[in-house]
C-alpha cells in the first residue's frame, strides 16, 4: 500500500512538472513576443507611453491613466493600446515574485486568490486623473494580486475606474464585485468591467486579435472621439 502511494505521488509530481514546464515554455514565448512588440511600438511612437513623451509645464496634463500588471505581456499590450487610443499615461506595476519562469508561475498559482502582493512602485500619484483603467490578467477566476494591492494603496476619490482583464478561461463575478466594492470604498464614483478572453494555452489569439476583439466589444476609439467632441464644446 505504501509503495502504491509513493508511486502515485511520484506520478503526480511528474505530471505537475510536465505541466509547469509546458506552461512556462509558452509563457516565455509570449513574453518575448510581447516584449518585442511593445518595444517596437514605443520606438515608432505607435503607443504614447509616459516614459516616451513628456509634456511641458504649459500643456494640459492628461486626465486618463492606465495602470497595468502584466506577467507575460498580453494585458500589457492591450493596456498600451488603450493608452494610445485615449491619450493616457501608462504606469506599469512590477511584482518580482511573479516573474516569468517556473518559480514565478508556481508563486502565481499559489497566491492567485490573494488580494495583497509586493509591488513596485508601491504608490503612484494619481491625484490629477479623472479616469483610471486598471489592467491585469485573471488568475484562478480573480484579478491578479498586484492590481488588488494597487487598489488598496490608492485614493480613487471622485474618479471613474475601469477594470480591464484578459484571461484564459473565465472570471467569477463575485471577485469583480469585491474589487468594485474596494475601489468604491476608496472614493471611486463609477466602476466598469471590461475584459477579453485570450483562449486556452496553446491556442490563444494573437496580440493583434486581442486588441481587435477588445475594440469591437467596447468601441474604445468611439469613446475617445466622443470625449474629444465634448472637450471642443466646452
Amino acid at each position: 500500500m505504501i509503495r502504491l502511494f509513493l508511486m502515485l505521488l511520484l506520478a503526480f509530481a511528474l505530471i505537475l512538472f510536465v505541466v509547469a514546464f509546458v506552461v512556462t515554455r509558452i509563457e516565455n514565448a509570449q513574453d518575448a513576443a510581447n516584449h518585442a512588440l511593445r518595444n517596437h511600438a514605443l520606438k515608432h511612437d505607435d503607443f504614447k507611453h509616459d516614459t516616451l513623451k513628456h509634456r511641458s509645464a504649459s500643456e494640459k496634463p492628461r486626465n486618463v491613466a492606465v495602470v497595468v500588471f502584466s506577467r507575460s505581456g498580453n494585458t500589457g499590450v492591450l493596456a498600451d493600446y488603450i493608452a494610445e487610443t485615449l491619450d493616457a499615461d501608462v504606469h506599469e506595476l512590477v511584482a518580482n515574485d511573479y516573474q516569468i519562469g517556473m518559480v514565478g508561475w508556481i508563486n502565481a498559482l499559489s497566491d492567485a486568490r490573494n488580494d495583497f502582493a509586493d509591488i513596485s512602485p508601491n504608490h503612484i500619484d494619481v491625484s490629477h486623473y479623472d479616469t483610471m483603467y486598471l489592467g491585469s490578467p485573471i488568475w484562478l477566476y480573480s484579478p491578479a494580486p498586484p492590481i488588488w494591492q494597487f487598489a488598496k494603496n490608492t485614493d480613487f476619490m471622485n474618479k471613474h475606474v475601469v477594470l480591464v482583464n484578459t484571461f484564459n478561461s473565465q472570471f467569477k463575478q463575485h471577485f469583480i464585485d469585491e474589487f468594485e466594492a474596494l475601489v468604491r470604498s476608496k472614493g471611486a464614483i463609477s466602476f466598469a468591467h471590461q475584459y477579453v478572453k485570450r483562449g486556452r494555452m496553446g491556442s490563444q489569439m494573437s496580440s493583434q486579435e486581442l486588441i481587435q476583439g477588445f475594440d469591437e466589444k467596447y468601441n474604445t476609439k468611439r469613446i475617445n472621439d466622443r470625449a474629444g467632441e465634448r472637450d471642443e464644446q466646452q
Side-chain angles (χ1 to χ4, degrees):
M1 181 65 70
I2 294 177
R3 184 177 179 181
L4 177 60
F5 174 77
L6 291 175
M7 289 179 64
L8 290 173
L9 187 62
L10 180 61
F12 176 77
L14 181 60
I15 291 171
L16 183 61
F17 175 80
V18 171
V19 170
F21 178 77
V22 171
V23 169
T24 53
R25 283 287 297 272
I26 294 173
E27 288 183 336
N28 285 336
Q30 289 179 341
D31 179 61
N34 287 326
H35 185 73
L37 178 63
R38 298 181 77 186
N39 281 346
H40 176 81
L42 287 175
K43 287 177 182 177
H44 291 78
D45 199 23
D46 292 331
F47 295 136
K48 298 171 184 175
H49 195 282
D50 61 340
T51 60
L52 176 69
K53 181 173 280 190
H54 299 280
R55 298 191 170 195
S56 67
S58 62
E59 289 183 285
K60 184 179 179 181
R62 294 175 177 137
N63 61 0
V64 180
V66 179
V67 178
V68 60
F69 168 73
S70 183
R71 185 164 176 270
S72 57
N74 294 303
T75 313
V77 168
L78 180 58
D80 285 345
Y81 171 75
I82 294 171
E84 185 271 336
T85 305
L86 300 181
D87 191 27
D89 288 333
V90 177
H91 303 276
E92 189 139 9
L93 303 176
V94 175
N96 290 328
D97 290 340
Y98 309 128
Q99 297 224 3
I100 288 296
M102 193 171 295
V103 173
W105 178 76
I106 292 172
N107 287 340
L109 190 63
S110 175
D111 296 348
R113 293 289 177 82
N114 289 345
D115 61 358
F116 56 88
D118 184 8
I119 60 173
S120 178
N122 193 51
H123 176 75
I124 298 171
D125 181 10
V126 301
S127 58
H128 58 287
Y129 298 119
D130 297 327
T131 301
M132 297 192 63
Y133 285 75
L134 308 183
S136 88
I138 293 288
W139 292 354
L140 291 183
Y141 314 118
S142 174
I147 206 67
W148 286 91
Q149 186 65 61
F150 174 78
K152 291 196 293 185
N153 294 352
T154 304
D155 182 0
F156 295 106
M157 188 61 64
N158 297 324
K159 299 186 188 306
H160 303 281
V161 175
V162 182
L163 175 64
V164 178
N165 295 129
T166 67
F167 54 90
N168 295 337
S169 56
Q170 61 179 316
F171 62 86
K172 289 191 176 179
Q173 186 60 42
H174 72 88
F175 290 121
I176 307 305
D177 294 341
E178 289 172 14
F179 193 89
E180 177 180 1
L182 172 60
V183 298
R184 285 190 181 275
S185 74
K186 306 299 291 292
I189 56 176
S190 73
F191 176 85
H193 184 214
Q194 299 180 354
Y195 55 88
V196 59
K197 183 177 180 178
R198 300 192 306 265
R200 292 288 187 177
M201 283 287 186
S203 60
Q204 292 186 1
M205 63 177 63
S206 68
S207 296
Q208 291 302 321
E209 289 171 333
L210 183 77
I211 290 171
Q212 182 179 356
F214 182 86
D215 212 31
E216 288 175 353
K217 189 172 184 179
Y218 297 108
N219 295 313
T220 310
K221 291 181 179 178
R222 192 177 304 170
I223 291 172
N224 191 40
D225 290 342
R226 287 202 299 265
E229 290 172 1
R230 287 197 300 269
D231 290 342
E232 292 177 359
Q233 293 171 359
Q234 291 176 351

